[in-house]
Amino acid sequence: MQIEQQLSEIQNVVDDVLKMALSKGATQAEASMSKVQGIAVSSRMQEVENVEFTNDGGLGISVYVGKRKGSASTADLSKAALTLAVEKAVDIARYTSEDPCTGLADAELIATEFPDLDLYHPQELDTEKAIKTTIETEAAAMNYDPRITNSDGASYNANLGMRVYGNTHGINAGYPSSRYSLSCMVIGSQDNDMQRDYAYTVDRQAPLLKSAAFVGQEAAKATVDRLGARKINTANVPVLFHKDLASSLFGHYVGAISGGSLYRRSSFLLDSLDKQVFPEWMNIEEKPLIKSGLASSSFDNEGVSCSDMTIVDGGRLATYLYTTYSARKLNTVSNGHAGGIHNWIVGDTGHSDADLLKEMGTGLFVTELMGQGVNIVTGDYSRGAAGFWVENGIIQYPVHEITIAGDLRDMFKNIVAIGKDKDVRGSVQTGSVLVNQMKIAGN
Amino acid sequence: MSKSVERHLLSDSGLDITKLESALATIHRHDTDYADLYFQSSQHESWVLEDGIIKEGSYNIERGVGVRAISGEKTGFAYSDEISEDALMKACKAARGIAPSGGTQQVSALDEKPLTARYSENNPILAMQDAEKISLLRSVDAYIRQQEPSVNQVVVSISGVYEEILVAGSDGTLATDIRPLVRLNCSVLLENGDRRERGSSGAGGRYAYAFFQSDENGKPLYENLADEALHMARVNMQAVAAPAGAMPVVLGNGWPGVLLHEAVGHGLEGDFNRKGASTFSGRIGERVAAKGVTVVDDGTLSDRRGSLSVDDEGTATQHNVLIEDGILKGYMQDKHNAKLMGVAPTGNGRRESYAHLPMPRMTNTYMLEGQHDPQEIIASIERGIYAPNFAGGQVDITSGKFVFSSAEAYLIENGKITAPVKGATLIGNGPEVMQKISMIGNDVALDKGIGVCGKDGQSVPVGVGQPTLKIDELTVGGTA
């Protein structure tokens, strides 16, 4: 079936569901539906391990009866299940309370233009070719160094899907998208030490994935570099967050400036609009319409139009992130963040990674973070870490079994440099981040 | 076999046992060793109270069938959100593609073995009227506001799941299960000047919502949960910076058993050990923990969140001893890894849903109790940390490094619990930390039923438990 035809079929289902909701007593309704087909193939020790054919779909509906809301969802897309979902949602709205802030997004904010963001690059789901790729990836890793002694496997995923959103203001829009990824994790041994690490590549266009050899070698190099890791003493030192995990710092920032955290007074960045939270040289731009971007979309999960936005301007908190509900709770309007953020580009200081190590001098280069020890209410940050001890800008030896801790407010203010080489594989694109001081706990 | 499950999952869709046998035979026409079909239907609801009003309610439906074909170490897998003969055969043909045609394996006649039910078959979503669920939420809110009029935010939620499964395997396995699951969570936020702290608590298990109204020490359980959340927030309002560095740590009983889940549990799952990827690989019979340490995984406990009458491969759950008096005794297995390792499955084959492959997973993992009075354990420490409550954890099973983060903790100074300290991540090496357990309390408890375990992107409900424990040295990730 042609993709346009599939898309219009899904739009018809969404339309039917919305009509059904109105006929059953809803005064407003919104529905989203997705369908994703794909393959997930893995190899281990250069033999095929799993071949999975994935086929996921679902419909979620929210209905509003006056100012009461009810929601339902179903992964079963039969007519009977869709009808039951609508009935349940309407039924639930009899029991929820009147809430003046509830309801669809404001009609004037709903997207009316749907530019082609070039998110769909279909390719035949060829399991044989995928198997060949994963085996090549693992081979590249296993042959990289004799200390690579075992493998946790390589996997290739390809997904072709579509997403449709509609509501009773009249929007019923959707788009197809594709996503391909290749990853590898191997195990290295030396004396009594056993370590693992991984590498991955992801893109909307399969031909733009990094090569099997590249991914395998990256995984192997990361693994052997960790062998012989030791603990270090408890100390206050500068910390350089590798670009692959530096985006997590901005993930905590997202949590702290989200409307939901603000109206619940559960953020360490309350009442901070226009305040200096990062150094003056720092900017963050949000660009939802990047062609082929992994987090691109012209409208959010409530149909609100997304556009370019300055998130951090000269280090100042330029905007909070609102959904329709959180905006109304805070007497403002949505800025298109239902469902999360869209392609943040974090400004840099022009340093290469080698320059950043030099800039740090002596300190910790973090390449892995563990656990969830981040408190968005208070800003307290304490996570497990592994990486490398650096002296005079030169990596000395791998370290592990330590924690790094601080207060996110201080950590953000104390960012002294950000690398120009960015990790572009997620919704936040940033280089490595140097924080001038944190507490390391070790021996 | 539950007739209602057979009707809902098979006959209503035009399927029967003979058709399942012929579907399995279709797979075995390719060179496969084992195949299974997993039918599932589940309903899930949740209700949320916030700002003193019933803000959200939702209802979720999931239904489908997953087909797995195994050939040696290879697995083919396909699934469908439609249960019908056509969809089933299509999935069987996709899954068997893992092996070339020309199979010789015969399908054994499907035969159901008697099972011991570990929980009720009642549907918690129907067992209580919606109006009564709402009034339960309001009671928790009212109680919290009465106990702490200055409370800034109160969020209370309940959720209920009713799930039916049927599994049929080419070795003749046939099993059905009905799995209820409920949960209540509450979270409060206290504010004083610039300082804000949250406290939370929760409970649940395989029963009906009425459990939350049942008596616990002379009060409804929900009031105790509310007290617990308020207590955590009040304690954290007073908390000072946690210390940084290696020091003795006392873990409270119950939920701090997340230590075992991370430090040893994952490392003892059969798949990692078959692959030689775990720090515990090849160490059966060796000392991996201090003397006196006995750790079990037990899916048979009545009504517990991590319990199952039968696992997702049709194997009855068991009381599995993992570590006995410090010596490693066995791993947790699903059928696939058990076969490849030449041992018996242990009832630990679990999957998130029909759309996910089963793998070895924990059920309820806990440590048996020892001799020591908890007070005596605290009194033995000159300077250290007492941590009675935790948030989640994580482990690297290859290096053995694990973390877990405290949600409520105190300094121990000269044998006494003193100032509360802020949440901090604790980090250690599983086998090393287990050997540094020097005192085991006489107060074993299981957690209240809130655990969710994630592995390879699949979430399943689990339980943990332990007595109060003293660990001679663990790295505490504070800032002071």
Side-chain angles (χ1 to χ4, degrees), chain A residues 44 48-51 53-56 71-73 75 97 150 231 263-265 325 329 371 380 382 403, chain B residues 50-51 54-55 57-61 74-75 77 79 153 191 196 275 392 394 401 422 425 475-477:
Chain A
R44 185 175 168 269
V48 58
E49 185 176 42
N50 292 339
V51 174
F53 297 91
T54 61
N55 186 4
D56 298 297
S71 303
S73 66
S97 312
N150 196 351
K231 263 177 105 162
Y263 85 74
R264 294 182 180 97
R265 301 196 61 74
Y325 186 81
K329 289 291 279 187
D380 293 329
S382 168
T403 60
Chain B
E50 186 182 294
D51 296 330
I54 305 301
K55 195 168 275 188
S58 68
Y59 183 84
N60 175 269
I61 307 159
K74 304 187 186 85
T75 301
F77 182 57
Y79 55 88
Q153 298 282 320
E191 188 163 359
R196 279 174 295 276
K275 297 171 183 175
Q394 191 185 333
K401 302 295 174 279
K422 283 171 172 277
T425 289
T475 296
V476 177

Side-chain angles (χ1 to χ4, degrees), chain B residues 9-323:
Chain B
L9 292 176
L10 300 182
S11 38
D12 283 358
S13 303
L15 293 169
D16 57 31
I17 297 299
T18 313
K19 285 178 177 163
L20 302 194
E21 287 170 345
S22 69
L24 291 165
T26 303
I27 298 173
H28 273 345
R29 279 200 275 283
H30 281 225
D31 187 16
T32 49
D33 312 316
Y34 180 74
D36 62 12
L37 317 173
Y38 182 87
F39 296 84
Q40 179 203 357
S41 166
S42 68
Q43 306 154 33
H44 172 270
E45 70 166 0
S46 71
W47 296 93
V48 183
L49 175 148
E50 186 182 294
D51 296 330
I53 63 172
I54 305 301
K55 195 168 275 188
E56 309 253 356
S58 68
Y59 183 84
N60 175 269
I61 307 159
E62 197 171 17
R63 184 179 157 84
V65 56
V67 176
R68 174 171 68 148
I70 297 179
S71 172
E73 295 195 34
K74 304 187 186 85
T75 301
F77 182 57
Y79 55 88
S80 169
D81 61 14
E82 178 194 337
I83 298 179
S84 69
E85 195 172 355
D86 278 356
L88 178 64
M89 292 311 275
K90 201 174 148 208
C92 287
K93 285 175 181 162
R96 75 178 183 183
I98 195 71
S101 58
T104 52
Q105 193 82 13
Q106 294 297 309
V107 175
S108 306
L110 293 177
D111 176 30
E112 195 191 17
K113 302 254 178 351
L115 287 171
T116 308
R118 305 297 179 186
Y119 30 79
S120 138
E121 296 189 344
N122 290 336
N123 182 341
I125 297 174
L126 300 177
M128 185 181 272
Q129 296 293 313
D130 289 344
E132 203 185 334
K133 296 169 196 166
I134 302 308
S135 94
L136 170 62
L137 291 175
R138 291 192 187 283
S139 306
V140 183
D141 185 53
Y143 177 80
I144 291 171
R145 291 178 188 281
Q146 177 205 328
Q147 295 298 307
E148 182 56 71
S150 75
V151 69
N152 191 295
Q153 298 282 320
V154 178
V155 182
V156 189
S157 63
I158 55 170
S159 65
V161 181
Y162 176 76
E163 181 173 83
E164 298 181 336
I165 66 119
L166 182 150
V167 54
S170 59
D171 59 357
T173 300
L174 179 64
T176 59
D177 197 15
I178 292 178
R179 298 169 174 172
L181 189 65
V182 295
R183 179 166 172 159
L184 183 150
N185 275 79
C186 58
S187 154
V188 300
L189 186 90
L190 297 181
E191 188 163 359
N192 184 4
D194 277 348
R195 186 112 188 219
R196 279 174 295 276
E197 291 284 352
R198 187 152 50 196
S200 60
S201 66
R206 298 199 178 277
Y207 17 63
Y209 292 124
F211 170 74
F212 301 119
Q213 299 160 322
S214 65
D215 181 271
E216 188 195 61
N217 306 322
K219 278 176 152 184
L221 173 61
Y222 70 78
E223 290 189 4
N224 289 320
L225 292 171
D227 289 340
E228 209 179 290
L230 279 170
H231 174 74
M232 188 193 288
R234 285 170 181 152
V235 165
N236 285 328
M237 283 301 269
Q238 309 298 324
V240 298
M247 63 194 73
V249 173
V250 177
L251 302 174
N253 67 351
W255 179 237
V258 68
L259 162 83
L260 305 174
H261 182 98
E262 306 297 356
V264 293
H266 280 295
L268 298 180
E269 290 168 341
D271 47 353
F272 297 132
N273 288 286
R274 169 174 68 84
K275 297 171 183 175
S278 165
T279 185
F280 291 101
S281 298
R283 296 185 65 183
I284 293 212
E286 287 181 25
R287 173 162 300 283
V288 295
K291 270 191 81 64
V293 171
T294 295
V295 179
V296 302
D297 183 84
D298 191 343
T300 70
L301 304 173
S302 288
D303 300 335
R304 303 300 309 186
R305 182 172 164 86
S307 297
L308 294 172
S309 302
V310 64
D311 76 3
D312 293 325
E313 298 181 305
T315 307
T317 51
Q318 296 172 193
H319 173 93
N320 292 305
V321 177
L322 306 176
I323 295 172

Side-chain angles (χ1 to χ4, degrees), chain A residues 285-299:
Chain A
E285 298 291 334
E286 183 171 52
K287 297 188 179 297
L289 308 179
I290 292 178
K291 290 277 162 68
S292 268
L294 285 167
S296 295
S297 179
S298 59
F299 57 93

Side-chain angles (χ1 to χ4, degrees), chain A residues 320-443:
Chain A
Y320 285 124
L321 309 176
Y322 299 110
T323 62
T324 296
Y325 186 81
S326 66
R328 287 179 187 150
K329 289 291 279 187
L330 296 159
N331 296 313
T332 180
V333 293
S334 171
N335 54 15
H337 287 93
I341 61 165
H342 301 282
N343 305 319
W344 277 17
I345 318 292
V346 178
D348 61 71
T349 47
H351 290 77
S352 67
D353 279 4
D355 290 344
L356 287 172
L357 288 171
K358 264 186 225 140
E359 179 79 27
M360 176 165 73
T362 294
L364 181 71
F365 182 26
V366 174
T367 55
E368 185 187 40
L369 288 167
M370 288 180 82
Q372 303 88 28
V374 181
N375 185 334
I376 294 299
V377 179
T378 61
D380 293 329
Y381 182 99
S382 168
R383 299 189 73 186
F388 300 91
W389 182 247
V390 177
E391 284 176 17
N392 303 316
I394 296 167
I395 288 177
Q396 303 292 310
Y397 50 83
V399 296
H400 66 181
E401 208 181 325
I402 55 167
T403 60
I404 57 174
D407 178 313
L408 280 169
R409 267 171 292 233
D410 299 336
M411 290 163 61
F412 289 158
K413 282 203 180 106
N414 294 340
I415 292 175
V416 289
I418 297 182
K420 64 182 176 188
D421 301 321
K422 293 182 168 55
D423 179 14
V424 298
R425 297 171 297 182
S427 53
V428 177
Q429 303 186 8
T430 178
S432 300
V433 171
L434 178 58
V435 176
N436 75 357
Q437 184 164 295
M438 290 187 72
K439 186 77 168 192
I440 312 298
N443 289 316

